[in-house]
Every structure is written in structure tokens, then in C-alpha cells.
Amino acid sequence: MEAGKRYKIACIGAGNVGASAAQYCAEMELGDIVLTDIVEGMPQGKALDLTEAGPIRGYNSVLTGTNDYADIEGADVCIVTAGLPRKPGMTRLDLLKKNGEIITDICENIAKHAPNSTVVTVTNPLDVITYLAFKKLGFPAERVVGMAGCLDSARLRSFVAMELGVSMKIVDTMVLGSHGDDMVPLPEYTTVSGIPITKLLPQDRIDALVERTRKGGGEIVQLLKTGSAYYAPGASAARMAQAIIRDEKQLLPCAAHLTGQYGLDDVYIGVPVMLGKKGVERIVELDLTDAQKDALHNSAGEVREGIKGLQEAGIL
Ligand code: TXD
């Protein structure tokens, strides 16, 4: 963190996750925040509403809303949540193409107006979209990183804490792989004050918590009936922005560009990443069991399928 510098965070997509990320960034006073969306008035309204919460919550971030990408000029971090939800009758591939077009347009604008920023992608399908963003932005891979593992691990951490009746603050975990059903949780790296949960819980309970994490997004969708999770996703994106802006060198699970690590090349997938002011400053390679390695490779296979879909559609 440079002394005296005011940082700027652009939340591109001011829907549920984007606005929630903006709120958490403001609460942590990470910098000034620009909410951007195609819907006229909505980002402006949310920015004003969040500004009016400032005196009560005691933050001094300046929040603005806009429909004009020129306003993201000079952003240090761009959090990209823009996209469309899947509509009835739409296949996964239809959604990928639609969101692929949206992300392509956004990346052109980020490259033009915030060429030195670090980009945190959130839009689904996360790993494929992050790869697309990396290709379209033309930024070094260090400055393009995807948010999913932070959320998946936060879910597992909260489930473990609830199960054991301990504070969430003392539960830590690492979740690898792509976002969704193909995630690869690592129970032996899931600890309570340093004690692996494999020593605290029977295998069937660990399996149940891992399964609940895998389906974590769906559980919320079912309860909400309309829309999907946004508090924890927003908090996770803000957590990554915090690690970057404050140069924390935090080890967080993030979608990063692999170039041979874990035996995978030229794909984005969730791995432990050291996040600091340069973005992805290091990718940590853990010793995995053969089953975990296979699961990670399966996960990467799914991501490659998505990338192929974008290539066939002429988007990549
Ligand atoms: O772990 C993760 N990565 C995720 C991902 C966790 C939760 C949500 N995840 C995905 O994030 C979700 O599947 C979506 O793809 C995004 C955003 O979810 P959110 O719940 O915030 O969706 P909303 O509320 O529909 O917001 C999307 C906004 C909406 O306001 C649109 O008007 C806007 O995106 N949008 C655009 N903004 C700017 N520019 C363009 N072109 C654009 N198109 C749509």
C-alpha cells in the first residue's frame, strides 16, 4: 500500500454481487469505488445509497455510479461481475456465449481505461470466463485472477465451524479445482487452530460437509427462489481486492493461469495463490494424492471444454 495514495476500485456489473462487493470494499475503506452497469440509474442509485450509509458505518470511501467506462479511468482493481443469469430454455453453452460477448466488451474497455489494473473476475462459468478475460485483456497473467475458491473455502469453513461449534475465525481450508461440482476440497489441509479436521471429525461427517460445500450455490438458490448468493460472493471478491491493494501476500485459493504447475498448461483453475500488489505473485504447488490430482485434471478438462465452446463460437 503506497502511503498517501487513494486507491480506486471499479465494480463492473452493479447487480447483487457487484454491489455487495462494493459495500464490503467501502466498509474496509480500500479506496474509492466506481459502480458500473449498463442499466441506467441503477449503479448511480446504489452508489448514492451506499454513500448515505457512510456516516453511520464510518467510512470515507467516495462511491460513484456510472454507465460510462471512461469513469473507471486509472482503477487499481476491477471486479468484474457483469453477466446474464441463465434463462429458461438456455443451455450452459448459450449462457457461456452470451456472457463471453459481455466479457469481451468489458475487457476492451478495461484495457483502454484501466490498463494497469488487476482484474478479479467473478462472472460464471468462472474459470472459462477468467481465461477469456486473460486472452482479451492482453495483461500479464499475474493481473488476471478469478474468484471462486475464496467463496468455496469460506463455505466449507463455515460448515466446519457450525459442525464443531467453534469460531469461524479459527477454521482454515484450501479448495482447489474449478467452481461448482468439480471443486477439489482438501480435508487434510482443513484445520481448526492448526489441527486437521481429519483428527476431529469422522470421515462420513467430513464427506457430508464437503458435499454441502460442492452444492453450496444451489442450496442458496433453492432457498432464495429468485436469484443466487451474493453476500459471501461479494465478500470473497472484496477479500481478494483487499489482499491486492494492501499487498498482503495472502495465500488464497483463486483461479490462476497455470503454465505447467500441477501438470496443467494454459488453463485457468483454482489453486493456492499468493496475492499481493502485483496480483498473483506466486502459485503454490501442494502435494496431492493421486485421487486429488485426477479430480483436478478432470476439473481442468471441464474448463477446456468451455474454452473449446468459446473458440467454436468465434469468441476466443
Ligand atoms: O463464485 C463465483 N465466481 C460466483 C459467480 C458466485 C456468485 C455469483 N457468480 C456469478 O456472478 C453469477 O453466476 C453471475 O455470472 C455473476 C453476477 O451475479 P449477480 O448475482 O450479481 O447477478 P446480477 O444481479 O444479475 O448482476 C449482473 C449485472 C446486472 O446488473 C446487469 O445489468 C449487468 O451485470 N450487466 C452488465 N454490466 C456492464 N456491462 C455489461 N455489458 C453488462 N451486461 C450485464
mmCIF file of all heavy atoms in Angstrom, residues 12-18 36-39 42 69 81-85 99 102 105-106 122-124 126 147-148 151 179 228-230 233, ligand 1:
data_model
loop_
_atom_site.group_PDB
_atom_site.id
_atom_site.type_symbol
_atom_site.label_atom_id
_atom_site.label_comp_id
_atom_site.label_asym_id
_atom_site.label_seq_id
_atom_site.Cartn_x
_atom_site.Cartn_y
_atom_site.Cartn_z
ATOM 1 N N ILE A 12 -17.485 -3.662 -11.964
ATOM 2 C CA ILE A 12 -18.132 -3.672 -13.284
ATOM 3 C C ILE A 12 -19.219 -4.734 -13.275
ATOM 4 O O ILE A 12 -18.943 -5.921 -13.154
ATOM 5 C CB ILE A 12 -17.090 -3.891 -14.395
ATOM 6 C CG1 ILE A 12 -16.029 -2.778 -14.275
ATOM 7 C CG2 ILE A 12 -17.763 -3.903 -15.764
ATOM 8 C CD1 ILE A 12 -14.894 -2.876 -15.248
ATOM 9 N N GLY A 13 -20.461 -4.253 -13.351
ATOM 10 C CA GLY A 13 -21.628 -5.061 -13.019
ATOM 11 C C GLY A 13 -22.019 -4.620 -11.613
ATOM 12 O O GLY A 13 -21.263 -4.840 -10.664
ATOM 13 N N ALA A 14 -23.159 -3.931 -11.533
ATOM 14 C CA ALA A 14 -23.585 -3.411 -10.218
ATOM 15 C C ALA A 14 -24.822 -4.156 -9.745
ATOM 16 O O ALA A 14 -25.694 -3.601 -9.078
ATOM 17 C CB ALA A 14 -23.838 -1.905 -10.309
ATOM 18 N N GLY A 15 -24.909 -5.431 -10.122
ATOM 19 C CA GLY A 15 -26.017 -6.267 -9.654
ATOM 20 C C GLY A 15 -25.788 -6.663 -8.204
ATOM 21 O O GLY A 15 -25.122 -5.950 -7.452
ATOM 22 N N ASN A 16 -26.304 -7.818 -7.838
ATOM 23 C CA ASN A 16 -26.233 -8.229 -6.430
ATOM 24 C C ASN A 16 -24.803 -8.418 -5.934
ATOM 25 O O ASN A 16 -24.435 -7.899 -4.885
ATOM 26 C CB ASN A 16 -27.015 -9.533 -6.238
ATOM 27 C CG ASN A 16 -28.505 -9.271 -6.194
ATOM 28 O OD1 ASN A 16 -28.943 -8.165 -5.881
ATOM 29 N ND2 ASN A 16 -29.292 -10.285 -6.516
ATOM 30 N N VAL A 17 -24.009 -9.168 -6.696
ATOM 31 C CA VAL A 17 -22.641 -9.452 -6.225
ATOM 32 C C VAL A 17 -21.775 -8.186 -6.320
ATOM 33 O O VAL A 17 -21.016 -7.878 -5.397
ATOM 34 C CB VAL A 17 -21.990 -10.605 -7.022
ATOM 35 C CG1 VAL A 17 -20.570 -10.864 -6.525
ATOM 36 C CG2 VAL A 17 -22.815 -11.886 -6.900
ATOM 37 N N GLY A 18 -21.918 -7.439 -7.411
ATOM 38 C CA GLY A 18 -21.118 -6.229 -7.594
ATOM 39 C C GLY A 18 -21.375 -5.209 -6.495
ATOM 40 O O GLY A 18 -20.439 -4.629 -5.929
ATOM 41 N N THR A 36 -20.293 0.306 -12.028
ATOM 42 C CA THR A 36 -20.577 0.461 -13.460
ATOM 43 C C THR A 36 -21.567 -0.599 -13.918
ATOM 44 O O THR A 36 -21.438 -1.764 -13.539
ATOM 45 C CB THR A 36 -19.275 0.252 -14.277
ATOM 46 O OG1 THR A 36 -18.253 1.010 -13.666
ATOM 47 C CG2 THR A 36 -19.424 0.672 -15.710
ATOM 48 N N ASP A 37 -22.543 -0.184 -14.712
ATOM 49 C CA ASP A 37 -23.510 -1.166 -15.232
ATOM 50 C C ASP A 37 -24.110 -0.611 -16.511
ATOM 51 O O ASP A 37 -23.992 0.586 -16.793
ATOM 52 C CB ASP A 37 -24.615 -1.430 -14.192
ATOM 53 C CG ASP A 37 -25.244 -2.813 -14.354
ATOM 54 O OD1 ASP A 37 -26.048 -2.989 -15.304
ATOM 55 O OD2 ASP A 37 -24.946 -3.717 -13.539
ATOM 56 N N ILE A 38 -24.757 -1.479 -17.284
ATOM 57 C CA ILE A 38 -25.439 -0.977 -18.484
ATOM 58 C C ILE A 38 -26.814 -0.413 -18.150
ATOM 59 O O ILE A 38 -27.373 0.354 -18.925
ATOM 60 C CB ILE A 38 -25.614 -2.059 -19.586
ATOM 61 C CG1 ILE A 38 -25.979 -3.406 -18.983
ATOM 62 C CG2 ILE A 38 -24.430 -2.143 -20.505
ATOM 63 C CD1 ILE A 38 -26.507 -4.373 -20.009
ATOM 64 N N VAL A 39 -27.366 -0.807 -17.009
ATOM 65 C CA VAL A 39 -28.703 -0.314 -16.645
ATOM 66 C C VAL A 39 -28.587 1.132 -16.156
ATOM 67 O O VAL A 39 -27.849 1.421 -15.216
ATOM 68 C CB VAL A 39 -29.334 -1.186 -15.536
ATOM 69 C CG1 VAL A 39 -30.719 -0.664 -15.159
ATOM 70 C CG2 VAL A 39 -29.410 -2.646 -15.982
ATOM 71 N N MET A 42 -29.305 2.653 -12.160
ATOM 72 C CA MET A 42 -29.133 1.661 -11.088
ATOM 73 C C MET A 42 -27.782 1.779 -10.368
ATOM 74 O O MET A 42 -27.752 1.876 -9.134
ATOM 75 C CB MET A 42 -29.387 0.260 -11.661
ATOM 76 C CG MET A 42 -29.355 -0.841 -10.640
ATOM 77 S SD MET A 42 -27.715 -1.513 -10.565
ATOM 78 C CE MET A 42 -27.782 -2.745 -11.845
ATOM 79 N N TYR A 69 -17.726 3.804 -19.291
ATOM 80 C CA TYR A 69 -16.461 3.179 -18.907
ATOM 81 C C TYR A 69 -15.331 4.189 -18.712
ATOM 82 O O TYR A 69 -14.344 3.883 -18.038
ATOM 83 C CB TYR A 69 -16.045 2.119 -19.935
ATOM 84 C CG TYR A 69 -16.826 0.839 -19.757
ATOM 85 C CD1 TYR A 69 -17.812 0.464 -20.662
ATOM 86 C CD2 TYR A 69 -16.598 0.025 -18.664
ATOM 87 C CE1 TYR A 69 -18.543 -0.696 -20.481
ATOM 88 C CE2 TYR A 69 -17.326 -1.128 -18.461
ATOM 89 C CZ TYR A 69 -18.295 -1.489 -19.380
ATOM 90 O OH TYR A 69 -19.012 -2.625 -19.180
ATOM 91 N N THR A 81 -18.286 -8.510 -12.369
ATOM 92 C CA THR A 81 -19.411 -9.409 -12.029
ATOM 93 C C THR A 81 -20.508 -9.334 -13.086
ATOM 94 O O THR A 81 -21.565 -9.920 -12.917
ATOM 95 C CB THR A 81 -20.037 -9.029 -10.665
ATOM 96 O OG1 THR A 81 -20.606 -7.719 -10.789
ATOM 97 C CG2 THR A 81 -19.032 -9.044 -9.541
ATOM 98 N N ALA A 82 -20.262 -8.582 -14.155
ATOM 99 C CA ALA A 82 -21.319 -8.379 -15.161
ATOM 100 C C ALA A 82 -21.644 -9.677 -15.872
ATOM 101 O O ALA A 82 -20.766 -10.477 -16.168
ATOM 102 C CB ALA A 82 -20.860 -7.333 -16.173
ATOM 103 N N GLY A 83 -22.897 -9.870 -16.136
ATOM 104 C CA GLY A 83 -23.298 -11.063 -16.876
ATOM 105 C C GLY A 83 -24.795 -11.235 -16.813
ATOM 106 O O GLY A 83 -25.491 -10.469 -16.135
ATOM 107 N N LEU A 84 -25.257 -12.238 -17.526
ATOM 108 C CA LEU A 84 -26.688 -12.527 -17.519
ATOM 109 C C LEU A 84 -26.915 -13.826 -16.752
ATOM 110 O O LEU A 84 -26.089 -14.727 -16.814
ATOM 111 C CB LEU A 84 -27.192 -12.715 -18.951
ATOM 112 C CG LEU A 84 -27.139 -11.489 -19.849
ATOM 113 C CD1 LEU A 84 -27.714 -11.841 -21.220
ATOM 114 C CD2 LEU A 84 -27.925 -10.326 -19.240
ATOM 115 N N PRO A 85 -28.042 -13.923 -16.061
ATOM 116 C CA PRO A 85 -28.360 -15.210 -15.453
ATOM 117 C C PRO A 85 -28.913 -16.156 -16.518
ATOM 118 O O PRO A 85 -29.368 -15.706 -17.576
ATOM 119 C CB PRO A 85 -29.441 -14.855 -14.430
ATOM 120 C CG PRO A 85 -30.019 -13.558 -14.886
ATOM 121 C CD PRO A 85 -29.036 -12.893 -15.803
ATOM 122 N N ASN A 99 -22.409 -14.505 -22.039
ATOM 123 C CA ASN A 99 -21.508 -13.864 -21.079
ATOM 124 C C ASN A 99 -20.128 -13.633 -21.691
ATOM 125 O O ASN A 99 -19.455 -12.651 -21.360
ATOM 126 C CB ASN A 99 -21.403 -14.692 -19.785
ATOM 127 C CG ASN A 99 -22.614 -14.459 -18.881
ATOM 128 O OD1 ASN A 99 -23.388 -13.536 -19.112
ATOM 129 N ND2 ASN A 99 -22.773 -15.291 -17.879
ATOM 130 N N ILE A 102 -20.288 -10.361 -23.468
ATOM 131 C CA ILE A 102 -20.304 -9.254 -22.481
ATOM 132 C C ILE A 102 -18.882 -9.021 -21.949
ATOM 133 O O ILE A 102 -18.393 -7.889 -21.888
ATOM 134 C CB ILE A 102 -21.283 -9.577 -21.325
ATOM 135 C CG1 ILE A 102 -22.730 -9.554 -21.844
ATOM 136 C CG2 ILE A 102 -21.100 -8.618 -20.152
ATOM 137 C CD1 ILE A 102 -23.778 -10.051 -20.856
ATOM 138 N N ASP A 105 -16.457 -7.308 -24.419
ATOM 139 C CA ASP A 105 -16.670 -5.864 -24.497
ATOM 140 C C ASP A 105 -16.074 -5.161 -23.271
ATOM 141 O O ASP A 105 -15.400 -4.133 -23.376
ATOM 142 C CB ASP A 105 -18.192 -5.602 -24.602
ATOM 143 C CG ASP A 105 -18.520 -4.127 -24.536
ATOM 144 O OD1 ASP A 105 -17.931 -3.373 -25.332
ATOM 145 O OD2 ASP A 105 -19.341 -3.729 -23.671
ATOM 146 N N ILE A 106 -16.305 -5.745 -22.101
ATOM 147 C CA ILE A 106 -15.803 -5.145 -20.858
ATOM 148 C C ILE A 106 -14.269 -5.119 -20.863
ATOM 149 O O ILE A 106 -13.655 -4.119 -20.472
ATOM 150 C CB ILE A 106 -16.357 -5.920 -19.641
ATOM 151 C CG1 ILE A 106 -17.850 -5.596 -19.473
ATOM 152 C CG2 ILE A 106 -15.578 -5.619 -18.366
ATOM 153 C CD1 ILE A 106 -18.569 -6.434 -18.457
ATOM 154 N N VAL A 122 -15.528 -12.576 -11.642
ATOM 155 C CA VAL A 122 -16.492 -13.291 -10.792
ATOM 156 C C VAL A 122 -17.557 -13.991 -11.651
ATOM 157 O O VAL A 122 -18.106 -15.017 -11.278
ATOM 158 C CB VAL A 122 -17.174 -12.303 -9.801
ATOM 159 C CG1 VAL A 122 -18.197 -13.013 -8.924
ATOM 160 C CG2 VAL A 122 -16.145 -11.602 -8.922
ATOM 161 N N THR A 123 -17.815 -13.432 -12.829
ATOM 162 C CA THR A 123 -18.874 -13.935 -13.706
ATOM 163 C C THR A 123 -18.695 -15.425 -14.022
ATOM 164 O O THR A 123 -17.582 -15.879 -14.280
ATOM 165 C CB THR A 123 -18.868 -13.128 -15.037
ATOM 166 O OG1 THR A 123 -18.966 -11.740 -14.715
ATOM 167 C CG2 THR A 123 -20.008 -13.541 -15.958
ATOM 168 N N ASN A 124 -19.787 -16.143 -14.020
ATOM 169 C CA ASN A 124 -19.772 -17.586 -14.341
ATOM 170 C C ASN A 124 -19.909 -17.848 -15.835
ATOM 171 O O ASN A 124 -20.503 -17.032 -16.527
ATOM 172 C CB ASN A 124 -20.933 -18.266 -13.604
ATOM 173 C CG ASN A 124 -20.509 -18.758 -12.241
ATOM 174 O OD1 ASN A 124 -19.356 -19.082 -12.017
ATOM 175 N ND2 ASN A 124 -21.467 -18.821 -11.334
ATOM 176 N N LEU A 126 -16.919 -19.419 -14.112
ATOM 177 C CA LEU A 126 -15.801 -18.608 -13.645
ATOM 178 C C LEU A 126 -14.460 -18.891 -14.324
ATOM 179 O O LEU A 126 -13.806 -17.970 -14.822
ATOM 180 C CB LEU A 126 -15.715 -18.791 -12.122
ATOM 181 C CG LEU A 126 -14.756 -17.920 -11.320
ATOM 182 C CD1 LEU A 126 -13.370 -18.501 -11.214
ATOM 183 C CD2 LEU A 126 -14.688 -16.487 -11.823
ATOM 184 N N MET A 147 -12.294 -15.283 -8.952
ATOM 185 C CA MET A 147 -12.809 -15.537 -7.611
ATOM 186 C C MET A 147 -13.774 -16.720 -7.617
ATOM 187 O O MET A 147 -14.797 -16.672 -8.287
ATOM 188 C CB MET A 147 -13.548 -14.297 -7.090
ATOM 189 C CG MET A 147 -13.961 -14.387 -5.632
ATOM 190 S SD MET A 147 -15.214 -15.624 -5.199
ATOM 191 C CE MET A 147 -16.690 -14.872 -5.844
ATOM 192 N N ALA A 148 -13.433 -17.768 -6.924
ATOM 193 C CA ALA A 148 -14.352 -18.890 -6.697
ATOM 194 C C ALA A 148 -13.892 -19.655 -5.469
ATOM 195 O O ALA A 148 -14.661 -19.902 -4.548
ATOM 196 C CB ALA A 148 -14.412 -19.825 -7.900
ATOM 197 N N LEU A 151 -14.713 -18.244 -2.088
ATOM 198 C CA LEU A 151 -16.106 -18.482 -1.701
ATOM 199 C C LEU A 151 -16.301 -19.941 -1.281
ATOM 200 O O LEU A 151 -16.885 -20.220 -0.234
ATOM 201 C CB LEU A 151 -17.020 -18.146 -2.887
ATOM 202 C CG LEU A 151 -18.487 -18.534 -2.742
ATOM 203 C CD1 LEU A 151 -19.129 -17.777 -1.587
ATOM 204 C CD2 LEU A 151 -19.251 -18.246 -4.039
ATOM 205 N N HIS A 179 -14.893 -24.022 -10.182
ATOM 206 C CA HIS A 179 -16.020 -23.666 -9.329
ATOM 207 C C HIS A 179 -17.192 -24.592 -9.628
ATOM 208 O O HIS A 179 -17.461 -24.899 -10.773
ATOM 209 C CB HIS A 179 -16.386 -22.220 -9.666
ATOM 210 C CG HIS A 179 -17.399 -21.638 -8.750
ATOM 211 N ND1 HIS A 179 -17.395 -21.846 -7.399
ATOM 212 C CD2 HIS A 179 -18.451 -20.836 -9.005
ATOM 213 C CE1 HIS A 179 -18.400 -21.194 -6.866
ATOM 214 N NE2 HIS A 179 -19.057 -20.577 -7.809
ATOM 215 N N SER A 228 -29.376 -15.683 -6.907
ATOM 216 C CA SER A 228 -28.408 -16.576 -6.271
ATOM 217 C C SER A 228 -27.620 -15.813 -5.214
ATOM 218 O O SER A 228 -27.840 -14.614 -5.007
ATOM 219 C CB SER A 228 -27.487 -17.167 -7.346
ATOM 220 O OG SER A 228 -26.984 -16.159 -8.175
ATOM 221 N N ALA A 229 -26.691 -16.528 -4.572
ATOM 222 C CA ALA A 229 -25.944 -15.958 -3.441
ATOM 223 C C ALA A 229 -25.214 -14.681 -3.832
ATOM 224 O O ALA A 229 -24.729 -14.573 -4.960
ATOM 225 C CB ALA A 229 -24.931 -16.991 -2.957
ATOM 226 N N TYR A 230 -25.142 -13.743 -2.900
ATOM 227 C CA TYR A 230 -24.343 -12.550 -3.196
ATOM 228 C C TYR A 230 -23.576 -11.973 -2.014
ATOM 229 O O TYR A 230 -22.562 -11.330 -2.207
ATOM 230 C CB TYR A 230 -25.182 -11.457 -3.859
ATOM 231 C CG TYR A 230 -26.457 -11.066 -3.147
ATOM 232 C CD1 TYR A 230 -26.491 -9.970 -2.299
ATOM 233 C CD2 TYR A 230 -27.627 -11.774 -3.357
ATOM 234 C CE1 TYR A 230 -27.670 -9.593 -1.665
ATOM 235 C CE2 TYR A 230 -28.806 -11.414 -2.721
ATOM 236 C CZ TYR A 230 -28.825 -10.329 -1.877
ATOM 237 O OH TYR A 230 -29.986 -9.969 -1.253
ATOM 238 N N PRO A 233 -20.307 -14.219 -1.937
ATOM 239 C CA PRO A 233 -19.510 -13.940 -3.149
ATOM 240 C C PRO A 233 -18.942 -12.519 -3.161
ATOM 241 O O PRO A 233 -17.788 -12.301 -3.524
ATOM 242 C CB PRO A 233 -20.519 -14.138 -4.297
ATOM 243 C CG PRO A 233 -21.524 -15.092 -3.740
ATOM 244 C CD PRO A 233 -21.636 -14.761 -2.278
HETATM 245 O O1 TXD B 1 -18.040 -17.831 -7.108
HETATM 246 C C1 TXD B 1 -18.358 -17.196 -8.065
HETATM 247 N N1 TXD B 1 -17.482 -16.909 -9.013
HETATM 248 C C2 TXD B 1 -19.741 -16.709 -8.227
HETATM 249 C C3 TXD B 1 -20.167 -16.264 -9.520
HETATM 250 C C4 TXD B 1 -20.598 -16.553 -7.120
HETATM 251 C C5 TXD B 1 -21.797 -15.909 -7.242
HETATM 252 C C6 TXD B 1 -22.249 -15.348 -8.492
HETATM 253 N N2 TXD B 1 -21.471 -15.736 -9.618
HETATM 254 C C7 TXD B 1 -21.734 -15.116 -10.908
HETATM 255 O O2 TXD B 1 -21.519 -13.705 -10.816
HETATM 256 C C8 TXD B 1 -23.146 -15.234 -11.423
HETATM 257 O O3 TXD B 1 -23.355 -16.501 -11.980
HETATM 258 C C9 TXD B 1 -23.157 -14.131 -12.458
HETATM 259 O O4 TXD B 1 -22.493 -14.567 -13.640
HETATM 260 C C10 TXD B 1 -22.292 -13.034 -11.811
HETATM 261 C C11 TXD B 1 -23.107 -11.904 -11.199
HETATM 262 O O5 TXD B 1 -24.046 -12.399 -10.297
HETATM 263 P P1 TXD B 1 -25.165 -11.425 -9.683
HETATM 264 O O6 TXD B 1 -25.960 -12.224 -8.733
HETATM 265 O O7 TXD B 1 -24.539 -10.163 -9.229
HETATM 266 O O8 TXD B 1 -26.046 -11.138 -10.985
HETATM 267 P P2 TXD B 1 -26.949 -9.846 -11.274
HETATM 268 O O9 TXD B 1 -27.528 -9.327 -10.005
HETATM 269 O O10 TXD B 1 -27.854 -10.248 -12.371
HETATM 270 O O11 TXD B 1 -25.914 -8.764 -11.804
HETATM 271 C C12 TXD B 1 -25.292 -8.805 -13.039
HETATM 272 C C13 TXD B 1 -25.229 -7.396 -13.538
HETATM 273 C C14 TXD B 1 -26.605 -6.798 -13.860
HETATM 274 O O12 TXD B 1 -26.817 -5.619 -13.100
HETATM 275 C C15 TXD B 1 -26.518 -6.476 -15.361
HETATM 276 O O13 TXD B 1 -27.219 -5.290 -15.724
HETATM 277 C C16 TXD B 1 -25.020 -6.295 -15.517
HETATM 278 O O14 TXD B 1 -24.462 -7.350 -14.754
HETATM 279 N N3 TXD B 1 -24.557 -6.361 -16.915
HETATM 280 C C17 TXD B 1 -23.582 -5.550 -17.367
HETATM 281 N N4 TXD B 1 -22.852 -4.605 -16.761
HETATM 282 C C18 TXD B 1 -21.943 -3.957 -17.512
HETATM 283 N N5 TXD B 1 -21.727 -4.197 -18.817
HETATM 284 C C19 TXD B 1 -22.447 -5.157 -19.460
HETATM 285 N N6 TXD B 1 -22.219 -5.410 -20.747
HETATM 286 C C20 TXD B 1 -23.425 -5.888 -18.723
HETATM 287 N N7 TXD B 1 -24.287 -6.870 -19.033
HETATM 288 C C21 TXD B 1 -24.983 -7.163 -17.930
#
